[in-house]
Amino acid sequence: MLLCQHQSHFVQLMLCLVVLCPRLNGHSAVMRYYSSDSKDELHVRYLDGEDSGIVVVGINRPKAKNAINKNLVKMMFEAVEDVKKNKKVRSVILCSLVPGIFCAGADLKERAKMHQSEVGPFVSKARALITEISSNTAKMGLVETKLAIIPGAGGTQRLPRVIGVSLAKELIFAARVVDGTQAQQMGLVSHSVEQNNSGDAAYLRALELAREINPQEVDLSTGLAIEEACYSQVIPTKDRLEGLSAFKEKRQPQYKGE
């Protein structure tokens, strides 16, 4: 799982591949839209009641197979900023509202119209895509080599760190696509679940995990106390003094783990 620290609280992020988000099975929720031009492309639901603290972010670009364009990246950044400011949020589930599709990658139609100077900044912003949960019918791959380019949103760095250099090279060079079961076997995803008739098996599993995790989160005052206890262990270390000296002397620190 990916733990993202926002300010003084933690948010558990779970990505669901190839899943249609249901209407929350009767759960009430606060809906938020981002971007007045294409507000339907990203739906953000803040669940309440027993599921308070869980946020469901749904991508909805059916005609483009949820391909990521500049507007979607902008909206997702806005959604993340809202989550950062909300100390009640504990878990975020990112899923698709389009049946049978999670994300087709970058919007190549938009990319073809981009000036060269726009491509770099766009790819940099899109470099935060990470996969954690999927159904076994999910299809995943870094297929950029088929287009005479390389994975530019962090794939060349994240993939080998997760599954090893040799296997990562094989998948990237061959532009191979794997299913959810294979992805779990090689350690690419944490869970792979049997798809159900409504196509929301991964979402339901993510929701189950979020419900399991949320009660384990501590309140702010407890979290600050834990931070203080941990920081007190750092104060007497030689590395702390070395870090301060290096900063003052404008040089690289030489840490020794002491």
Side-chain angles (χ1 to χ4, degrees), residues 164-208:
V165 174
S166 297
L167 187 53
K169 284 183 176 180
E170 183 178 333
L171 295 183
I172 293 173
F173 295 163
R176 183 176 302 159
V177 174
V178 298
D179 61 28
T181 301
Q182 293 170 317
Q184 183 185 25
Q185 291 172 347
M186 63 178 63
L188 183 58
V189 300
S190 301
H191 298 267
S192 179
V193 294
E194 189 75 26
Q195 187 59 284
N196 57 23
N197 294 332
S198 56
D200 61 358
Y203 168 77
L204 294 177
R205 177 57 176 146
L207 186 59
E208 179 184 341

Side-chain angles (χ1 to χ4, degrees), residues 6-27:
H6 296 311
Q7 297 177 348
S8 56
H9 71 294
F10 288 90
V11 174
Q12 178 77 26
L13 176 64
M14 291 173 281
L15 310 189
C16 309
L17 296 184
V18 194
V19 53
L20 173 63
C21 280
R23 295 185 180 276
L24 304 176
N25 298 323
H27 293 288

Side-chain angles (χ1 to χ4, degrees), residues 104 140-149 151 171-172 174-177:
M140 289 164 272
L142 297 176
V143 298
E144 287 87 345
T145 54
K146 288 184 177 180
L147 303 173
I149 55 177
L171 295 183
I172 293 173
R176 183 176 302 159
V177 174

Side-chain angles (χ1 to χ4, degrees), residues 241-254:
L241 297 177
E242 168 61 13
L244 294 173
S245 297
F247 177 79
K248 181 179 179 180
E249 298 167 10
K250 298 181 179 180
R251 60 175 174 80
Q252 288 294 321
Q254 302 296 320

